[in-house]
Amino acid sequence: MTHLHTISAELHTGMLVLAFISISLKIIGDKLGKFPKATQVLEQTAYVSALTGFLFLIVSAITGFTQTWPREALLASPLVLNKILFTEFAIVFWTIFLLIRWKYGADLWKSLKLKTLYVSMALGGFLSITLTGSMGGHVAKKESLLDLFLHKSGINTHVPFTLPETWIVPILVFIFSILIISILLRKKYKIAREGAIHDS
Amino acid sequence: MKRNPSTQVAMKSLFSTYSKRMYLKGIAVMLFLLSFASVSSAFHESIPSIIPSIDGQIQENEYQNHYRDTKINMDVYWTLYKENIYLALRSHAKGWMGIGIDPTGSLMQGADIILGYVKDGKLFIQDNFANSAVNRAPDTVLGGKNDILESAGSESDKGTVIEFKRKLNTTDSFDRALTDNEYKVLLAYSESDDLTSYHPVKSTAFINFFSGNVRNEDTDDVGKEGSIVKTQNPATDSIPAEKDRYQSFLTMLTGVISIAGITIALLIIPERGRSK
């Protein structure tokens, strides 16, 4: 069963990296205004590979938790805790990525907001799986190709990445404030639009 | 949320013949790149397993944990994998050596003992139990069973190596079920292969096999250079306290709520010029 974790880890990484590369190439193609057919294919490729990668990411997360080390050993490792943390982030990023694409289709590229959100999710998901991959390298091989970069950036993946409790509440308050403001803005916009229709 | 007409048209056309063809092309490109990636990855070294090989040789970084008892110059290596513990012992002598886990009485009484020696290239190993302060007997003699699942050993001018694998919890009443706790561990070896010979070379340490933390009885120092040597083990670099785990969970929750919250807020906020 450990092999299942190894295979699913390799597959989700490959697929999700492919999705990110496809999106990046699609953006470059769009900017250049060339190769419209190729960019369309890349866009579809990103969707399909992200979907496949996402499924393997779930399998990888489950097998990683149940089939590798004893649970006590897993939870005793700050590195593994960090790996779980970033796997969760990756799952959230790629879930939103897929939901946006599923809901709006290729039409999302016509909206700057959706396009920005879609690409941001791909970027967030890519960075998350890159970090988890590096941590996986430390778990399996005690080293990672990213080590030089991480050490120079002062990032130590062997220390638990935790937010101080004093930060958590302000962050959550900020997020909920943004949500409330966005709801109010939407209402205001709706009233203004109805007024405009009524006037006309 | 209402979709605007252009979105609806786009959604419908998603399943048009042209779109299907594009999907097929997308899948074809993906498969091509995937096969290319598979071929290229075959040239790379595959991820080594965290399972040590029981072959009588201890390779560098083969085990996740390493404790060197400098008092008697004996090494203990171990890796936990699934329900098993892989353990290796190395001494600089050519006689028997052993490890006794968690004595409950005086001296070695009640300890779960595994000891062995290598003679003519062949390993002789026993699963024992200390039925008195100074005596021990094979589990099989006492009514238990031999729980050594795999074993191998080697002897050279540099000393002796014994590797073995057993379950963390063998369910044998003459074995200690290993959990995330610190155990008193007895280490000893001899220059003789005679298992009844007295072992003047002995030491005691306190080991948590799960966390990898070791406390030396004499120095009471953890991680003192020269006394305790630990390989770079992600599972044991620094053990997070319960509070850290809780904090990690809170961080995860905050992160997830933040990502989802910002996304939802952005989706709710109307886009300028979209009504046109």
Side-chain angles (χ1 to χ4, degrees):
Chain A
M1 287 297 276
T2 321
H3 300 303
L4 187 59
H5 179 65
T6 311
I7 292 165
S8 56
E10 296 276 7
L11 274 172
H12 88 249
T13 307
M15 289 289 185
L16 295 175
V17 168
L18 176 60
F20 178 72
I21 291 171
S22 303
I23 289 288
S24 307
L25 291 175
K26 150 91 178 152
I27 294 165
I28 294 168
D30 284 351
K31 283 270 178 203
L32 294 173
K34 288 179 180 175
F35 319 114
K37 278 192 176 178
T39 53
Q40 205 167 353
V41 171
L42 283 167
E43 204 276 331
Q44 312 276 20
T45 306
Y47 184 35
V48 178
S49 54
L51 186 62
T52 320
F54 177 76
L55 293 174
F56 281 112
L57 176 62
I58 301 293
V59 174
S60 173
I62 294 168
T63 53
F65 202 65
T66 56
Q67 306 294 331
T68 52
W69 294 357
R71 195 157 300 174
E72 293 88 347
L74 281 174
L75 296 176
S77 162
L79 184 72
V80 176
L81 285 181
N82 290 341
K83 200 168 184 290
I84 293 169
L85 179 78
F86 278 90
T87 304
E88 285 299 323
F89 289 167
I91 288 173
V92 174
F93 280 126
W94 289 109
T95 303
I96 297 172
F97 177 90
L98 288 168
L99 283 176
I100 291 172
R101 180 61 176 77
W102 170 76
K103 185 164 173 55
Y104 299 97
D107 226 27
L108 71 92
W109 293 97
K110 292 174 186 167
S111 157
L112 179 65
K113 183 176 78 178
L114 288 176
K115 189 164 66 176
T116 310
L117 202 56
Y118 191 61
V119 174
S120 304
M121 290 302 131
L123 183 65
F126 171 73
L127 291 176
S128 300
I129 59 155
T130 305
L131 262 178
T132 46
S134 172
M135 293 176 204
H138 273 275
V139 172
K141 294 172 75 177
K142 300 177 179 66
E143 62 179 357
S144 152
L145 279 174
L146 273 184
D147 278 350
L148 191 66
F149 168 77
L150 291 174
H151 290 168
K152 285 203 169 179
S153 316
I155 299 169
N156 182 2
T157 51
H158 291 262
V159 175
F161 293 151
T162 53
L163 285 170
E165 269 175 23
T166 46
W167 286 30
I168 291 175
V169 176
I171 289 172
L172 291 178
V173 168
F174 175 71
I175 297 297
F176 283 111
S177 307
I178 288 180
L179 272 172
I180 291 165
I181 290 168
S182 63
I183 291 167
L184 292 174
L185 275 173
R186 189 177 177 83
K187 273 192 176 175
K188 191 182 165 189
Y189 170 81
K190 204 175 171 184
I191 292 164
R193 197 175 59 175
E194 279 169 1
I197 291 166
H198 189 260
D199 289 347
S200 65
Chain B
M1 192 190 290
K2 276 187 177 178
R3 284 190 195 123
N4 67 31
S6 65
T7 309
Q8 284 179 340
V9 170
M11 292 287 278
K12 280 177 189 169
S13 68
L14 200 68
F15 301 100
S16 70
T17 316
Y18 177 71
S19 187
K20 275 180 187 168
R21 206 182 300 154
M22 295 309 289
Y23 265 105
L24 287 173
K25 279 184 185 175
I27 291 167
V29 170
M30 190 185 75
L31 288 174
F32 169 75
L33 290 173
L34 190 67
S35 60
F36 177 76
S38 305
V39 171
S40 63
S41 70
F43 289 98
H44 288 84
E45 190 188 350
S46 60
I47 293 176
S49 168
I50 61 166
I51 311 169
S53 55
I54 307 288
D55 54 7
Q57 303 293 328
I58 299 169
Q59 307 298 333
E60 194 181 350
N61 289 335
E62 184 182 1
Y63 286 85
Q64 286 172 356
N65 301 279
H66 172 205
Y67 165 63
R68 173 172 296 146
D69 195 311
T70 48
K71 183 183 162 192
I72 60 169
N73 241 356
M74 184 171 165
D75 295 277
V76 184
Y77 299 82
W78 73 96
T79 291
L80 304 188
Y81 182 72
K82 290 189 177 176
E83 72 272 26
N84 299 312
I85 181 167
Y86 293 74
L87 229 145
L89 305 172
R90 176 158 58 195
S91 79
H92 296 278
K94 285 187 173 181
W96 66 261
M97 64 177 148
I99 182 169
I101 301 168
D102 199 24
T104 51
S106 62
L107 298 176
M108 63 185 201
Q109 186 166 20
D112 176 8
I113 295 172
I114 288 179
L115 75 171
Y117 61 92
V118 178
K119 192 172 184 183
D120 301 324
K122 196 180 172 191
L123 173 70
F124 296 86
I125 191 165
Q126 286 185 6
D127 185 2
N128 279 206
F129 178 75
N131 48 359
S132 83
V134 290
N135 274 319
R136 51 169 181 75
D139 290 5
T140 47
V141 173
L142 297 168
K145 59 186 195 302
N146 176 19
D147 291 290
I148 299 167
L149 301 172
E150 274 181 66
S151 62
S154 66
E155 195 176 79
S156 69
D157 291 334
K158 290 178 182 174
T160 308
V161 168
I162 291 176
E163 290 184 297
F164 63 89
K165 169 190 168 185
R166 59 155 267 196
K167 281 190 183 300
L168 288 165
N169 183 5
T170 62
T171 67
D172 187 338
S173 57
F174 296 103
D175 287 329
R176 195 69 64 229
L178 298 175
T179 55
D180 191 359
N181 285 303
E182 188 186 70
Y183 293 96
K184 186 176 183 181
V185 173
L186 312 172
L187 300 170
Y189 64 84
S190 169
E191 287 291 349
S192 165
D193 283 342
D194 180 4
L195 291 175
T196 60
S197 65
Y198 180 63
H199 45 84
V201 190
K202 58 186 179 182
S203 186
T204 304
F206 295 87
I207 302 178
N208 183 328
F209 291 101
F210 278 75
S211 69
N213 276 356
V214 184
R215 193 160 54 86
N216 190 294
E217 187 185 47
D218 296 327
T219 60
D220 229 32
D221 277 347
V222 175
K224 186 183 173 188
E225 200 177 336
S227 174
I228 292 159
V229 181
K230 286 173 71 182
T231 52
Q232 193 185 17
N233 178 15
T236 59
D237 277 352
S238 62
I239 305 306
E242 196 63 38
K243 194 178 177 239
D244 276 345
R245 289 181 203 171
Y246 173 69
Q247 204 77 3
S248 183
F249 175 73
L250 277 184
T251 306
M252 185 169 73
L253 211 62
T254 310
V256 169
I257 290 172
S258 302
I259 299 165
I262 291 170
T263 307
I264 293 167
L266 281 170
L267 288 172
I268 289 174
I269 294 170
E271 200 172 356
R272 275 186 181 181
R274 194 153 170 83
S275 62
K276 289 172 188 175

